[in-house]
Amino acid sequence: MQPLQTLPGPATGWRLARAGAVKRQRSWKTKTFEPPKYSLAAGASCLGYAHVFAWRSSKSRALRIDSRVLATATGVATAVEEAVEEGTVAVKRPQLRLQRDDAGNIQKLTVTTPLFYANGSPHMGSAYPAIAADVMARYGKLQQAEVHYVTGMDEHGEKIAQTAADAEKTPQELVDGIAEEFQDLWELLDVQPDHFARTTPDKHKEIVHEMWQRCLDNGDIYKKDYTGWYCVGCEAYLDDDEMLEGHVCKIHQKECTLRSEENYFFRLSKYWDDLRKHLEENPDFILPSSRRSQVLVWLEEDNKRDFSISRASTSWGIPVPGDDSQVIYVWFDALLGYLSSLLRPEDPATLDTVLERGWPADVHVIGKDIMRFHTMYWPAMLMSAKLPLPKHICTHGFLTKDGMKMGKSLGNVVEPVPLVKEFGADAVRFFFGSCLSFGLDGDFSYETFIKRVNSSLANELGNLVHRILTLLRKNLPEPTSPTDLVESPSEFDDHPVRVAATKAPATVATCYEQVDIPKAVATALEIASVANVRMNEVEPWAKLKKTTSAEDKNLAIRELLVMAEGVRICAVLLSPVTPGLSANIFAEFGLEPEGQLSWERTKWSWDVMPGLVGPKPKPLFQRIDLEPWQGK
């Protein structure tokens, strides 16, 4: 995938997206998929235009897949994936099905990230879903919903035992240290989970044992000999379509090992039809909906199978009840962290208590590489245990470097701690939350990152705030509402900034609830864009000179006050993505701290902002010097 290109602005972005989509639509052949010469996602997704255009356009050509040509799961999955990445198929973004009151207000939101594998320090590939989930959680809190945001670690398995041995540590010592690193990173990134789940505590083990027993009692666990190609990195036996020639794992680029073991198996095949039915009856279960097509191919009758849920090759795990020679498979164990994370310290560790505490989850945020576990194994396990399924599985693409998935095992990661310490949490959250189209792959480069942050946060928003504060603090004798300067507030009804700021909240809310963070941010920043245009049209600095008339000065002041109100609303709308920057804007305007924000504050207000009077302001967001980072 090519590096994402920085776009000059929305209009140019739309032209590039439309031209690119048309070019690729013309290049499709009926039964063959020709590799593209360039990527719409790469060229336009820095503002989310690739998927915004595809989502909006009623003229997008539907992708037709001939099953005779694409006969394997790999072929169909790859074709669908590439088509979505290229923008030739509409990325459908239905609104999340969230619990609401009679007035339509969100009442509850439970969102989870994957439980990250604890065999090494966190990297940007693990921070990415944590940022996205945090954005969703903060939006839910703005809406006054009861929010439970879970992230955490998957701490068992052969790979962790090997890593610990190499480091001359016990597995528990290793995972305890990694847990501290994850939680330190979340603090740096301003990621605020309500619960940091771990799979080594006793309460989690009790939940795993009860789940095992329920599945066993339902006739869904049995023991048999098995031989297959095992990838330690994936902690899984791989199918042929998951390996390259020579039995090399596609993800970890390492040769798999042929193993023969006697393991316990889960009767996944028993739930094959139930899984297909659930996906067909709930088309928004897997998001973006293009990935649902991949799972339906996996669920074709010819692919029916069971899966191993124990290992005899390692002792680092939860023992199988009644059989200490085996430990429970790390994925069976880890997926249950979504349940045990809901328990409070005083709660008994039972599945019934988990239900009382709010299961099912509303949204699982996961990477596309672990879809099979979350969209097939996990729902079948829940069905076996007579537990409700999560409402949505939201899958994101890979963060790539040199065209390959970013990951510890490949040694090609962008380290998040230095990135945050160098550029700040808001810049990192902004880029990874809103400049990469969620659901598609995105390639990181320092040049793209810096240009995008400078363009939106430093220039468009930061410079606007600085200009407003500089002019008002120099010329406004006391805090004033713009309505004090006109005969009737109706004079502002058609003001472009007020129109933009009044329309934006409904659109932004819809985008957040469609996990369309790029479009949510672009819509919020459109307020700042309109205000900047208005600033250049009115030229308030010229009207505030000593030689100008009182009428001109009055016009300049009220224009600046209206712009300030637009910026205030923009700050609320952006606060799930850039909480620190939004809090700083509120502080500069003399308003309440970020913790008191709510969606009610997105309504237009004529209230006085005391911070518009005071000393000369400092720049809100400093531009980043690109030169030292070019080529890195």
Side-chain angles (χ1 to χ4, degrees):
M1 186 173 197
Q2 298 298 315
L4 302 176
Q5 301 297 312
T6 303
L7 302 182
T12 305
W14 280 100
R15 288 196 298 272
L16 289 173
R18 188 175 298 275
V22 169
K23 180 174 181 178
R24 263 178 304 284
Q25 284 175 1
R26 290 171 179 166
S27 72
W28 281 112
K29 306 298 181 183
T30 305
K31 294 184 180 180
T32 60
F33 295 92
E34 296 184 343
K37 294 181 180 178
Y38 59 94
S39 168
L40 175 61
S45 72
C46 194
L47 273 178
Y49 289 116
H51 76 272
V52 172
F53 166 70
W55 180 81
R56 282 187 176 184
S57 175
S58 61
K59 299 180 180 179
S60 297
R61 183 173 298 178
L63 171 65
R64 295 189 295 174
I65 299 175
D66 189 320
S67 60
R68 294 169 298 177
V69 177
L70 302 171
T72 66
T74 304
V76 176
T78 302
V80 173
E81 182 78 10
E82 289 179 355
V84 172
E85 294 285 353
E86 294 307 314
T88 52
V89 175
V91 178
K92 296 180 181 178
R93 296 188 179 272
Q95 196 163 14
L96 298 176
R97 290 180 285 110
L98 303 175
Q99 183 178 321
R100 301 176 186 270
D101 60 21
D102 293 340
N105 301 311
I106 301 172
Q107 290 187 304
K108 169 187 167 291
L109 173 61
T110 299
V111 58
T112 73
T113 69
L115 300 193
F116 302 106
Y117 203 49
N119 69 314
S121 301
H123 54 81
M124 207 61 234
S126 37
Y128 180 41
I131 291 170
D134 189 70
V135 169
M136 296 170 65
R138 286 178 180 271
Y139 168 73
K141 290 172 183 176
L142 276 181
Q143 291 282 11
Q144 307 298 301
E146 180 184 345
V147 174
H148 194 78
Y149 168 28
V150 177
T151 185
M153 296 197 321
D154 167 9
E155 302 179 286
H156 291 130
E158 181 178 349
K159 187 161 60 170
I160 287 175
Q162 288 182 355
T163 304
D166 292 343
E168 298 183 342
K169 295 180 179 180
T170 67
Q172 190 65 58
E173 288 173 338
L174 175 72
V175 297
D176 287 346
I178 298 298
E180 290 183 10
E181 291 187 45
F182 268 96
Q183 292 178 89
D184 289 346
L185 176 59
W186 297 163
E187 186 174 350
L188 273 177
L189 279 170
D190 220 348
V191 167
Q192 298 180 348
D194 298 292
H195 187 87
F196 187 82
R198 300 184 63 179
T199 59
T200 49
D202 289 340
K203 281 194 173 184
H204 173 75
K205 294 175 183 177
E206 292 177 47
I207 289 294
V208 173
H209 281 158
E210 184 181 355
M211 186 76 168
W212 181 281
Q213 193 62 48
R214 284 199 185 191
C215 295
L216 182 65
D217 292 344
N218 204 36
D220 294 332
I221 294 177
Y222 64 96
K223 198 173 186 180
K224 76 166 187 175
D225 291 327
Y226 183 76
T227 299
W229 293 98
Y230 191 80
C231 173
V232 175
C234 293
E235 293 276 11
Y237 288 99
L238 302 188
D239 294 331
D240 289 343
D241 64 354
E242 296 173 299
M243 295 181 288
L244 302 170
E245 185 177 354
H247 303 103
V248 173
C249 172
K250 287 183 177 180
I251 293 176
H252 294 98
Q253 300 294 305
K254 292 183 179 179
E255 187 175 350
C256 299
T257 304
L258 185 63
R259 285 189 180 178
S260 295
E261 283 187 348
E262 185 181 39
N263 294 148
Y264 290 91
F265 277 72
F266 178 83
R267 295 188 193 278
L268 179 64
S269 57
K270 176 179 172 180
Y271 297 95
W272 216 253
D273 293 339
D274 292 331
L275 291 170
R276 284 190 65 88
K277 181 179 179 183
H278 184 76
L279 265 64
E280 288 164 357
E281 293 180 351
N282 299 276
D284 60 353
F285 177 62
I286 301 171
L287 299 173
S289 55
S290 59
R291 298 228 165 91
R292 172 175 167 269
S293 303
Q294 299 176 38
V295 179
L296 286 171
V297 170
W298 290 339
L299 286 169
E300 287 180 352
E301 193 68 21
D302 292 345
N303 297 324
K304 187 178 288 188
R305 74 199 60 190
D306 298 334
F307 75 98
S308 172
I309 56 171
S310 73
R311 296 289 184 268
S313 56
T314 182
S315 60
W316 178 241
I318 300 174
V320 169
D323 186 352
D324 290 341
S325 69
Q326 305 254 338
V327 296
I328 294 172
Y329 176 42
V330 62
W331 272 104
F332 190 100
D333 165 8
L335 288 165
L336 295 173
Y338 296 136
L339 304 182
S340 61
S341 67
L342 297 176
L343 296 173
R344 299 175 186 175
E346 69 275 11
D347 286 342
T350 68
L351 293 175
D352 287 341
T353 307
V354 167
L355 289 173
E356 294 171 4
R357 291 302 185 201
W359 183 261
D362 296 291
V363 182
H364 286 328
V365 176
I366 66 164
K368 65 180 181 181
D369 56 329
I370 54 176
M371 273 207 312
R372 192 185 298 264
F373 300 102
H374 282 81
T375 62
M376 294 172 60
Y377 299 1
W378 180 225
M381 289 162 54
L382 292 168
M383 289 175 181
S384 177
K386 305 296 190 291
L387 293 172
L389 275 57
K391 294 180 182 177
H392 304 284
I393 310 289
C394 290
T395 63
H396 64 77
F398 290 153
L399 292 180
T400 59
K401 189 176 183 184
D402 301 322
M404 297 180 70
K405 180 193 172 221
M406 213 181 282
K408 295 185 289 287
S409 301
L410 299 178
N412 67 339
V413 299
V414 172
E415 297 295 345
V417 172
L419 195 68
V420 177
K421 288 185 175 179
E422 181 68 36
F423 301 110
D426 283 312
V428 175
R429 288 175 63 100
F430 173 78
F431 182 81
F432 287 98
S434 67
C435 292
L436 303 181
S437 182
F438 193 84
L440 306 183
D441 291 352
D443 203 71
F444 175 85
S445 76
Y446 283 102
E447 184 171 351
T448 302
F449 168 79
I450 290 170
K451 285 182 177 179
R452 188 66 186 94
V453 169
N454 280 345
S455 173
S456 295
L457 299 189
N459 295 352
E460 191 165 30
L461 182 58
N463 190 48
L464 173 65
V465 172
H466 189 69
R467 294 166 83 187
I468 290 171
L469 288 173
T470 298
L471 290 170
L472 285 176
R473 289 182 179 181
K474 184 177 180 180
N475 295 281
L476 191 64
E478 61 181 5
T480 305
S481 167
T483 57
D484 296 334
L485 305 177
V486 294
E487 293 184 3
S488 170
S490 62
E491 293 186 32
F492 296 109
D493 286 351
D494 296 325
H495 193 288
V497 174
R498 187 177 185 216
V499 170
T502 303
K503 289 181 177 179
T507 302
V508 172
T510 297
C511 293
Y512 279 135
E513 292 175 29
Q514 292 175 335
V515 201
D516 195 346
I517 301 171
K519 189 180 176 187
V521 169
T523 303
L525 285 175
E526 185 65 19
I527 302 172
S529 178
V530 170
N532 277 308
V533 171
R534 186 69 171 180
M535 179 82 75
N536 293 331
E537 289 175 348
V538 174
E539 297 184 340
W541 55 88
K543 291 180 171 58
L544 289 170
K545 291 180 179 179
K546 292 182 179 179
T547 56
T548 57
S549 66
E551 183 179 352
D552 277 350
K553 288 184 172 66
N554 179 290
L555 173 62
I557 293 294
R558 67 178 188 247
E559 286 285 342
L560 290 167
L561 291 172
V562 170
M563 293 176 202
E565 174 60 14
V567 167
R568 183 195 66 79
I569 292 173
C570 178
V572 180
L573 298 175
L574 289 177
S575 64
V577 180
T578 56
L581 178 61
S582 295
N584 289 340
I585 290 174
F586 265 63
E588 287 289 344
F589 286 2
L591 303 172
E592 309 96 300
E594 178 217 356
Q596 298 182 29
L597 289 182
S598 73
W599 201 254
E600 281 292 311
R601 301 300 305 276
T602 63
K603 294 179 179 178
W604 189 272
S605 170
W606 299 114
D607 292 347
V608 169
M609 292 189 238
L612 300 183
V613 174
K616 184 178 179 180
K618 297 179 180 179
L620 182 73
F621 196 98
Q622 294 279 8
R623 280 183 57 83
I624 303 168
D625 185 7
L626 173 61
E627 186 174 353
W629 300 95
Q630 285 182 323
K632 291 188 178 181

